[in-house]
Amino acid sequence: MFDPIQNLEALDLSNNKLKSLDFLAKVNLTKLSWLDLSQNELTMINVSVFSFLPALKYVNMADNPFTCDCTNSDFQQWMLNNNQTQLVFAHSYTCGFPLAKKGTRFLDFDYHSCWVDASFICYISSTCVIVLTLLTSFTYHFLRLHLLYAYYLFLAFLYDAKERKRGSPQRYDAFISYNVHDELWVCREMLPVLEGEQGWRLCLHHRDFLPGKPIIENITDAIYGSRKIICVISHHYLESEWCSREMQMASYRLFDEQKDVLILVFLEDIPAHQLSPYYHMRRLVKRHTYLSWTQAGQHPGLFWQNLRRALDTPHADLDLNE
């Protein structure tokens, strides 16, 4: 229909119930400058059709039920940024869809939200959550001991630097690390001998920890404020979180200072597999200060004598590479 009139300059297609302008992409109206598309049923505009009308200067699209969503964002940007073609009555264009926006101005629709790809954001967010979950699970399962070691080593470094700056002497001969279930043995058996008979200055958490101070700081002060650390080991001790931290902090001091400051006292016969978390430490110190209450038998005096020798022994250098 348009082939014989390629010199057409004005075209009135108003009130024709047009639903699309795609047919304009097939015409060769290079001189068309005025186009009336008012009072049709245009909802979505494909702006690429205007590239086939290079001479177009005026367009009237009033009274069309435009869709005000991201599918028409290109048309809105073309309306605002096009410097060649003037849209007549553009500020009067209203939305026909969706129903929630019906009657509002087409130019009031915020097309900037269309630049955000919600599905892509959901994909990235879910991927990050999955990766973070996997990393957290991997770290907890395989690296938690290393991270805990680094944390306590950092605390030990801070404490050691603070104490060197203050020049504070060690207040106790030994810090007793024990579980609350073994407190009766510590109070009835150990304290009367070590403090009463032998005269050592001992630090016990239920008696000497400063009230109101964080537990980890009390533990650090006690371990670094004592010449030796005596760990009273039992099944309850191995199952205790705080006892485990005391043991770790003591072992960190041993590795940090490379001095024989740790004394292990076993109240019970414990299979080697239950000591696996402390296997390296047990192998390191059993040659020097490993004591067993169960093996004392009928000769407890020899047990206390050996413990006294261990407390009285100056710090010996350790070969931690063995």
Side-chain angles (χ1 to χ4, degrees):
M1 182 177 66
F2 291 103
D3 283 343
I5 50 174
Q6 296 183 3
N7 291 327
L8 185 67
E9 296 182 0
L11 178 61
D12 186 352
L13 295 175
S14 62
N15 199 18
N16 276 290
K17 298 184 179 181
L18 297 177
K19 295 183 178 181
S20 173
L21 299 180
D22 291 344
F23 68 93
L24 292 175
K26 300 178 182 180
V27 301
N28 189 22
L29 299 177
T30 57
K31 295 184 179 181
L32 184 67
S33 61
W34 185 87
L35 178 62
D36 189 351
L37 296 169
S38 61
Q39 297 181 358
N40 282 288
E41 297 179 3
L42 299 173
T43 57
M44 297 174 56
I45 304 298
N46 182 6
V47 295
S48 63
V49 300
F50 296 117
S51 63
F52 295 92
L53 305 172
L56 190 63
K57 295 184 181 299
Y58 302 97
V59 178
N60 183 7
M61 292 187 183
D63 299 323
N64 280 282
F66 295 112
T67 299
C68 292
D69 60 19
C70 293
T71 58
N72 259 345
S73 61
D74 291 340
F75 176 51
Q76 189 190 61
Q77 292 184 65
W78 183 82
M79 291 174 61
L80 297 173
N81 301 324
N82 176 45
N83 295 323
Q84 175 184 336
T85 304
Q86 177 183 351
L87 276 84
V88 182
F89 310 122
H91 290 281
S92 66
Y93 295 177
T94 59
C95 301
F97 303 96
L99 294 179
K101 296 182 179 180
K102 187 174 183 179
T104 61
R105 290 203 319 160
F106 180 76
L107 288 177
D108 289 341
F109 171 67
D110 185 11
Y111 66 88
H112 292 90
S113 59
C114 300
W115 296 346
V116 180
D117 191 339
S119 60
F120 180 73
I121 292 179
C122 292
Y123 168 76
I124 293 296
S125 301
S126 59
T127 301
C128 292
V129 170
I130 293 173
V131 171
L132 183 61
T133 302
L134 291 176
L135 287 176
T136 303
S137 302
F138 177 84
T139 301
Y140 178 79
H141 186 72
F142 294 103
L143 301 177
R144 66 180 184 276
L145 296 180
H146 297 79
L147 294 177
L148 198 59
Y149 171 83
Y151 171 70
Y152 285 126
L153 196 60
F154 178 69
L155 289 181
F157 171 78
L158 293 180
Y159 185 89
D160 190 52
K162 180 179 69 174
E163 291 301 308
R164 281 200 300 266
K165 184 177 180 180
R166 290 169 50 186
S168 302
Q170 291 173 325
R171 298 171 52 194
Y172 303 102
D173 293 304
F175 167 63
I176 312 299
S177 175
Y178 64 92
N179 184 264
V180 65
H181 292 87
D182 305 316
E183 186 173 343
L184 187 62
W185 182 87
V186 171
C187 294
R188 288 187 178 181
E189 300 288 345
M190 179 173 281
L191 287 185
V193 176
L194 296 186
E195 282 191 337
E197 298 178 11
Q198 299 180 6
W200 299 110
R201 294 170 300 168
L202 304 180
C203 177
L204 288 84
H205 58 76
H206 75 277
R207 184 186 67 184
D208 300 306
F209 277 10
L210 186 63
K213 193 173 186 179
I215 296 178
I216 194 64
E217 292 187 18
N218 272 318
I219 293 175
T220 305
D221 290 343
I223 289 177
Y224 279 83
S226 305
R227 290 191 307 105
K228 301 275 187 175
I229 301 98
I230 300 176
C231 296
V232 181
I233 299 178
S234 64
H235 286 90
H236 292 298
Y237 186 94
L238 297 178
E239 296 170 358
S240 171
E241 179 183 356
W242 287 112
C243 291
S244 175
R245 294 187 179 184
E246 291 175 357
M247 178 71 174
Q248 289 171 348
M249 182 66 77
S251 64
Y252 299 154
R253 178 187 169 188
L254 186 148
F255 279 101
D256 182 37
E257 298 181 358
Q258 298 190 10
K259 300 293 185 180
D260 188 8
V261 298
L262 191 60
I263 303 173
L264 297 184
V265 175
F266 285 84
L267 289 185
E268 303 167 345
D269 290 326
I270 301 177
H273 71 273
Q274 294 186 15
L275 291 174
S276 56
Y278 314 107
Y279 173 75
H280 181 74
M281 187 59 56
R282 181 173 64 86
R283 184 186 64 176
L284 181 65
V285 301
K286 70 179 181 180
R287 298 168 300 173
H288 305 283
T289 53
Y290 170 71
L291 298 173
S292 175
W293 178 251
T294 59
Q295 295 178 5
Q298 302 298 324
H299 305 283
L302 182 61
F303 173 88
W304 298 119
Q305 183 179 355
N306 290 333
L307 185 53
R308 177 173 184 171
R309 285 207 308 249
L311 286 170
D312 202 27
T313 302
H315 296 329
D317 293 335
L318 293 176
D319 185 2
L320 299 180
N321 296 320
E322 294 183 2

